[in-house]
Amino acid sequence: MNALIIDDAADTRLYVRALLEAWGYNAFDAADGLEGLERMREATIELVICDWMMPRMSGLEFCKAARAAGFKHYIYILLLTARSDKSDLLEGLNAGADDFLSKPVDSKLLRARLRVAERILTVQGQLADQNRTLRQSRERLQQAYNQIQRDLTSAARIQRQMLPPADRLVAPFRTESLFLPAAQVSGDSFNFFQLSEDLIGFYLFDVSGHGVQAALFSARLNASLMPTAASHRSLAELGTPAAGFPGPGPFLSEVNTRWIDPDAEFENYATIAYGTIDKHSGEAQIVLAGHPPPLILRNCGAIETLDAGGLPFGMFPDVDYVSQPVVLNAGDRLILYSDGVTECGNPQGELFGVERMQSALAASAGDNRLGLTRELEAQLQHWSGTLDFDDDISVLVLERDSES
């Protein structure tokens, strides 16, 4: 341990330095406080034995200067003094001294005081090591957190790029959509695609849970719900993407059966609204796998609700999903949505509900510019009082052109 003796009396410096070196210290000395500060800048000093009364800089002034100097390690300061008045001792403690020793120096008492200093400095060193370790751990955690945030931001951007354009046009149908993840990535997704020259396919699903696990489930499910040769046996036989499409019900039943691993314990499932619609007649077939019933906003402003559907997707094998028929006339809109819309809560804990959603639809019933999702988003934000929702929100609107 490095120790510094500061005293304007040369004999005291020599005596105390000899004692310290005999006890195993690396000892330095200085004739006053200013010189002592210079020594402390040149070497790492852990223990200082300093006289109270000195020219140029007193012991009290040295204590204050040493504490204000901002050394990275703790320095234990023992003041040598002939003073014993309580007010003097308080003044020394307030200036930054740790302990006092009366002059002339008694070697046995000095040794005892130094053992106290060693114990305190050992504890200080241990605390400093622990703080350093904690700081390094915190820095590593911060770096890992920053990397995770960058990865999540990239994943969220990729996920949005996988969604169809909000104003996609597949004549004679137009679409609009709303996608508001509760976290950076979402378990909700939707798509709108052409199965054949006459047939359009569409779906919207909501994976249980939130975050990365739900998003990974969502990505895999997206790939499975596109009826291609790779995802359906009859299509593989025909070698074309839609010629062998069996219809929404049988297709979803088959995908559900292939999806489930009987030896695995499922952690996620999904609710799905899946359907097809004829471009010319407007005749649609829609399957609901535990999903909120879609709404139909008729051109006249009336609102209809489809019947509830079957079991959620991915929970049980061999589920027989049945399609519901519906016809979209010119100007009608089909609205698929996740339960994040109707279960959006306000600060009082009330849910937005189906009735308020229908009111939002009615408010935009005469808007041929497809302003439904913008109106719904504004009402949800007003209702919840925040832009951060507790659940993923997704909406897909299909409108049959009023001229068709």
Side-chain angles (χ1 to χ4, degrees):
M1 181 181 294
N2 293 335
L4 174 65
I5 306 99
I6 306 174
D7 200 306
D8 58 327
D11 57 342
T12 300
R13 293 201 305 272
L14 290 174
Y15 173 63
V16 175
R17 181 168 181 172
L19 289 174
L20 293 177
E21 289 176 344
W23 294 332
Y25 289 89
N26 297 320
F28 304 83
D29 63 77
D32 58 46
L34 289 175
E35 186 180 346
L37 288 173
E38 289 299 321
R39 294 283 186 272
M40 292 169 65
R41 295 188 181 99
E42 295 168 357
T44 302
I45 303 297
E46 300 161 283
L47 172 65
V48 175
I49 302 172
C50 181
D51 190 17
W52 186 307
M53 300 301 294
M54 293 183 295
R56 296 210 300 170
M57 177 180 280
S58 70
L60 289 183
E61 292 170 335
F62 168 80
C63 288
K64 294 176 181 177
R67 297 307 183 201
F71 292 104
K72 294 183 179 179
H73 61 285
Y74 189 75
I75 300 170
Y76 191 94
I77 301 176
L78 176 64
L79 272 181
L80 298 177
T81 179
R83 303 178 181 220
S84 59
D85 188 79
K86 183 186 293 186
S87 62
D88 291 331
L89 298 181
L90 287 174
E91 186 179 8
L93 291 172
N94 289 331
D98 293 290
D99 200 359
F100 300 89
L101 185 64
S102 298
K103 296 181 72 174
V105 175
D106 180 283
S107 62
K108 292 182 180 179
L109 192 54
L110 174 61
R111 187 71 183 108
R113 289 282 201 270
L114 293 181
R115 289 195 182 102
V116 173
E118 289 171 1
R119 290 196 296 270
I120 292 175
L121 288 171
T122 297
V123 172
Q124 289 287 346
Q126 292 171 346
L127 290 174
D129 290 341
Q130 291 174 1
N131 287 336
R132 189 179 307 108
T133 300
L134 288 173
R135 184 170 59 253
Q136 293 170 348
S137 298
R138 185 171 62 248
E139 289 172 354
R140 288 193 294 269
L141 286 173
Q142 186 63 50
Q143 291 172 356
Y145 174 80
N146 292 340
Q147 183 61 52
I148 290 172
Q149 290 302 306
R150 288 192 293 270
D151 291 344
L152 285 174
T153 299
S154 298
R157 183 171 59 253
I158 293 171
Q159 190 174 51
R160 284 186 176 275
Q161 290 172 347
M162 293 173 62
L163 298 173
D167 56 351
R168 188 172 180 180
L169 174 65
V170 181
F173 288 90
R174 296 182 293 174
T175 69
E176 66 170 311
S177 59
L178 180 62
F179 183 67
L180 302 173
Q184 285 182 281
V185 291
S186 172
D188 286 11
S189 191
F190 50 83
N191 206 350
F192 180 67
F193 48 90
Q194 192 155 325
L195 279 166
S196 67
E197 185 177 347
D198 299 323
L199 202 61
I200 292 170
F202 56 88
Y203 62 78
L204 185 147
F205 64 75
D206 178 3
V207 175
S208 62
H210 305 292
V212 174
Q213 183 176 346
L216 291 173
F217 189 102
S218 171
R220 181 184 169 205
L221 185 54
N222 258 316
S224 298
L225 292 179
M226 289 295 292
T228 63
S231 64
H232 194 274
R233 289 191 296 272
S234 62
L235 300 183
E237 294 168 0
L238 294 172
T240 58
F245 185 67
F251 174 75
L252 194 59
S253 296
E254 182 179 326
V255 174
N256 177 73
T257 299
R258 287 190 291 105
W259 183 275
I260 294 178
D261 181 355
D263 299 324
E265 183 176 339
F266 71 88
E267 295 184 1
N268 290 95
Y269 62 90
T271 65
I272 304 176
Y274 194 100
T276 60
I277 189 165
D278 188 283
K279 293 170 60 176
H280 305 292
S281 66
E283 296 178 356
Q285 296 289 330
I286 301 175
V287 174
L288 298 179
H291 201 76
L295 302 174
I296 301 173
L297 178 59
R298 296 297 184 184
N299 192 34
C300 63
I303 298 175
E304 301 174 8
T305 304
L306 270 67
D307 294 334
L311 294 170
F313 178 93
M315 294 185 70
F316 305 102
D318 304 320
V319 177
D320 186 18
Y321 290 109
V322 179
S323 300
Q324 300 181 49
V326 66
V327 176
L328 290 188
N329 300 312
D332 291 347
R333 299 174 188 175
L334 175 66
I335 298 101
L336 313 179
Y337 60 95
S338 65
D339 62 9
V341 177
T342 53
E343 295 181 4
C344 176
N346 66 5
Q348 290 72 43
E350 300 174 282
L351 300 183
F352 189 70
V354 176
E355 290 185 3
R356 289 186 180 86
M357 182 177 179
Q358 291 180 347
S359 296
L361 299 181
S364 61
D367 186 1
N368 292 322
R369 297 169 298 169
L370 289 172
L372 187 154
T373 55
R374 291 191 295 273
E375 173 68 24
L376 184 58
E377 180 180 7
Q379 292 202 25
L380 287 171
Q381 291 179 357
H382 178 74
W383 174 257
S384 65
T386 179
L387 299 178
D388 299 322
F389 298 99
D390 294 331
D391 194 6
D392 299 325
I393 290 174
S394 58
V395 180
L396 176 64
V397 180
L398 284 71
E399 180 186 25
R400 188 177 183 189
D401 196 307
S402 57
E403 302 299 324
S404 62

